[in-house]
Amino acid sequence: MLLLALDTATPAVTVALHDGAEVVAESAEVDARRHGELLLPTVHRTLKAAGAELGAVTEIVVGVGPGPYTGLRVGLVTAATFGAALGIPVHGLCTLDGIAFAAGRAGLEGPFVVATDARRKEVYWARYDDPRTRVTEPAVDHPADLAERVAGLPAVGAGARLYPAAFAEVPDGMPEYQSAGALASLAAEKLARGEELLPDRPLYLRRPDAKVPANYKVVTPK
């Protein structure tokens, strides 16, 4: 196995290679507005660090979100394009699950909450019994509406750090953004157990900002 993992659902543009036993290379840049510019150079840098060619990749895993529309689709389209060009499987994993897995590697056991920034003063979030076990579906909510539901639980992710009134316990040393290395390791575990991963389809949770105007002026001749 040579698994290529990538995720653009958070401000981190993150890529990793996993050989079935361990992560052999990983690279990331944090820039919420330049996913499209940064992803391919990050893939190239990761392959170069591993001494591998793209043609040697046997499977791809991509974070399917939840995440903002524009950033999320960069990773999904790139993964689908690589998969089609190479004729290899493309798997999806929930981005929050990757962050939870990374939190476990950083020492957090559970239960806990993962929350990422959804903008519009909202967070994407889910609750976990442990780093491998999500017990709620991913959701998007205003932090104030979650305060009672997450009270007493440690929380990780940039969304938790943004809203300390709702997420009172944010342990130090925990991941803020996605790590493709953690995503790849989680995917490799699941694939080794014969588990079926998600399809490579976006988990947006809400409609994009762009809308067709309701009352636009017709400028074509009659």
Side-chain angles (χ1 to χ4, degrees):
M1 171 190 286
L2 188 60
L3 176 70
L4 174 67
L6 54 95
D7 195 306
T8 58
T10 73
V13 177
T14 178
V15 178
L17 282 171
H18 196 289
D19 66 1
E22 62 182 359
V23 174
V24 295
E26 182 174 7
S27 184
E29 290 195 48
V30 177
D31 191 325
R33 299 183 180 276
R34 299 177 62 221
H35 294 89
E37 297 174 48
L38 295 174
L39 181 55
L40 289 181
T42 305
V43 170
H44 175 75
R45 187 165 60 249
T46 306
L47 289 166
K48 184 177 181 180
E53 298 290 335
L54 183 60
V57 173
T58 59
E59 298 184 71
I60 298 172
V61 62
V62 59
V64 299
Y69 179 82
T70 302
L72 177 56
R73 65 181 179 176
V74 170
L76 288 162
V77 170
T78 301
T81 301
F82 284 163
L86 298 172
I88 59 176
V90 180
H91 310 285
L93 268 183
C94 175
T95 294
L96 302 178
D97 291 356
I99 297 173
F101 189 79
R105 297 202 303 186
L108 191 60
E109 295 181 355
F112 60 89
V113 173
V114 175
T116 61
D117 183 15
R119 303 174 186 170
R120 305 183 194 175
K121 298 182 179 181
E122 293 179 326
V123 293
Y124 298 117
W125 72 284
R127 180 171 173 165
Y128 293 79
D129 270 353
D130 60 61
R132 292 174 174 82
T133 309
R134 176 162 43 85
V135 293
T136 64
E137 290 298 316
V140 58
D141 286 292
H142 290 286
D145 297 334
L146 298 176
E148 291 186 6
R149 298 160 69 180
V150 303
L153 291 175
V156 301
R161 292 190 177 278
L162 279 173
Y163 301 102
F167 302 98
E169 185 181 344
V170 182
D172 292 332
M174 292 294 122
E176 288 191 50
Y177 306 119
Q178 178 65 292
S179 157
L183 194 74
S185 296
L186 179 60
E189 277 193 13
K190 289 177 173 289
L191 290 170
R193 291 195 297 265
E195 293 186 28
E196 185 173 348
L197 303 187
L198 298 174
D200 57 329
R201 297 291 182 269
L203 188 60
Y204 289 130
L205 299 188
R206 64 188 182 201
R207 297 179 63 84
D209 292 333
K211 297 179 181 179
V212 176
N215 298 302
Y216 56 88
K217 182 180 180 181
V218 177
V219 294
T220 55
K222 295 181 180 180

